[in-house]
Amino acid sequence: MAKLMINLLSETFVICRLSPSSPLPSWAFDGPFVSITKTDDELSIITIDDRRLPKDIQCERHWKCFKLQGPFPFDMTGILASVLNPLGKADVGILAVSTFDTDYVLVKENNLQIALDVLKQNGHSVHVIS
């Protein structure tokens, strides 16, 4: 398994679900990490957990975000597995997002310390970004 450099972003994130026909809201674009995915079923937005979000939006709050330090070549294997398998064995639920250069793994804030411990025990180097 790959041993990775991982940065823990300091912000807390929220995952929102909107109708697939919703326009992209301006509040979605704040912060160091935003992910927007549209399917036939939904428009999902991951952004900073801002209490000023509209009240009528379905949201899951209190997520922390690990950035796996890339870039990683597309033919490199085992990157996410080296993070997700140990977290799964520790019963830490995740949400993974991949970009062109790297991967992000989000965990609920109440599982953050367990996730930090597990990642370090599995040889990963984790740094907190402030």
Side-chain angles (χ1 to χ4, degrees):
M1 287 287 178
K3 303 303 179 198
L4 305 173
M5 297 276 297
I6 300 172
N7 288 333
L8 173 62
L9 304 182
S10 61
E11 295 82 4
T12 301
F13 293 85
V14 60
I15 302 166
C16 300
R17 182 187 190 282
L18 289 81
S19 163
S21 61
S22 296
L24 290 178
S26 61
W27 51 259
F29 296 95
D30 293 333
F33 173 81
V34 173
S35 178
I36 299 171
T37 304
K38 181 191 176 300
T39 68
D40 287 341
D41 301 318
E42 65 181 300
L43 173 65
S44 285
I45 300 173
I46 303 170
T47 189
I48 289 179
D49 194 349
D50 184 341
R51 301 297 177 198
R52 296 173 295 159
L53 293 175
K55 301 288 185 222
D56 61 337
I57 297 174
Q58 180 181 354
C59 294
E60 274 288 319
R61 295 185 180 274
H62 309 290
W63 291 84
K64 299 302 281 186
C65 184
F66 292 101
K67 177 183 180 183
L68 285 55
Q69 284 305 110
F72 301 112
F74 284 103
D75 60 354
M76 187 174 178
T77 62
I79 298 164
L80 273 175
S82 72
V83 172
L84 303 186
N85 289 342
L87 291 175
K89 288 179 186 171
D91 291 324
V92 175
I94 63 92
L95 176 67
V97 177
S98 295
T99 68
F100 191 91
D101 286 337
T102 193
D103 300 294
Y104 294 81
V105 176
L106 291 92
V107 300
K108 289 295 270 192
E109 194 169 32
N110 63 333
N111 287 324
L112 179 59
Q113 190 58 55
I114 296 167
L116 286 166
D117 293 343
V118 165
L119 293 172
K120 289 176 183 177
Q121 290 166 2
N122 281 271
H124 299 299
S125 177
V126 182
H127 303 280
V128 177
I129 302 299
S130 43

